[in-house]
Amino acid sequence: MISRLTRRTALLGGACAFLSGCAGKFRSYDGPAVTRLRLFKKRRLLVVEGRERTLRTYPIGLGFAPVGHKQFEGDGRTPEGSYVIDRRNPDSKFHLSIGISYPNTADVAYAAAAGRHPGSDIFIHGGPRRGVDPTDVRDWTAGCIAVTDRQIEAIYAMVRDGTPIEIYA
């Protein structure tokens, strides 16, 4: 029969292992402040910039219809234009995610004029499943920007809400 001490030790060890796995996705960042993001769709590149220099660059995956500006819900396109990072999702089904302020006023007006919905919930997020590099599985999202889980951990730590993001064709 297993002693109470052995059982408690096993349960405590299991709980610690579980919690350390959860906490592992949240990193800290003490480098220069991020002043803006620039995303180049054709080059599949996200550039993280500070006041004086480029801080990091990341390869990206896009929406399943990568050419052109997102106009309507379900079109599979990634937006183009000027937006800001406006929210964070630590419980994203894609590991971690940071939200982009799409749709803006112009996006809403364009879609409304066509009698359509512009779509919403555009994020920079991690991969679809563990062990798959989302930048190798190009253009699989519904309009979001995909990076690896390790990359979104770094981006999530570096980028603050309110950071401007320019998305270029």
Side-chain angles (χ1 to χ4, degrees):
M1 192 176 248
I2 300 174
S3 73
R4 281 187 163 173
L5 180 59
T6 303
R7 186 176 302 143
R8 280 187 191 157
T9 303
L11 288 172
L12 184 59
C16 288
F18 174 76
L19 291 174
S20 69
C22 293
K25 69 181 181 180
F26 298 104
R27 295 190 198 177
S28 61
Y29 174 73
D30 62 359
V34 174
T35 57
R36 76 174 173 166
L37 302 174
R38 291 189 303 144
L39 191 140
F40 300 92
K41 288 171 58 174
K42 187 173 185 178
R43 292 175 52 203
R44 304 298 194 283
L45 186 68
L46 174 65
V47 179
V48 179
E49 295 184 346
R51 181 165 284 122
E52 297 179 11
R53 64 182 172 88
T54 296
L55 302 174
R56 303 245 173 93
T57 60
Y58 298 99
I60 59 164
L62 298 169
F64 62 81
V67 177
H69 173 58
K70 182 165 194 64
Q71 296 175 326
F72 309 117
E73 183 173 47
D75 66 9
R77 293 180 179 161
T78 301
E80 296 170 0
S82 298
Y83 300 94
V84 296
I85 300 303
D86 66 351
R87 62 200 181 280
R88 317 171 92 52
N89 185 356
D91 299 316
S92 171
K93 67 181 176 180
F94 299 106
H95 194 58
L96 292 170
S97 61
I98 58 174
I100 296 172
S101 63
Y102 177 87
N104 61 27
T105 305
D107 298 321
V108 171
Y110 183 86
R116 310 262 314 263
H117 187 277
S120 61
D121 290 336
I122 301 298
F123 288 86
I124 301 171
H125 61 65
R129 59 189 179 278
R130 197 173 273 288
V132 174
D133 180 346
T135 61
D136 286 341
V137 184
R138 297 259 178 185
D139 307 332
W140 59 271
T141 76
C144 293
I145 295 102
V147 294
T148 67
D149 288 352
R150 298 290 282 164
Q151 291 165 341
I152 192 58
E153 290 171 7
I155 295 165
Y156 194 93
M158 295 173 73
V159 176
R160 299 286 156 241
D161 289 358
T163 302
I165 180 169
E166 298 288 330
I167 304 173
Y168 306 102

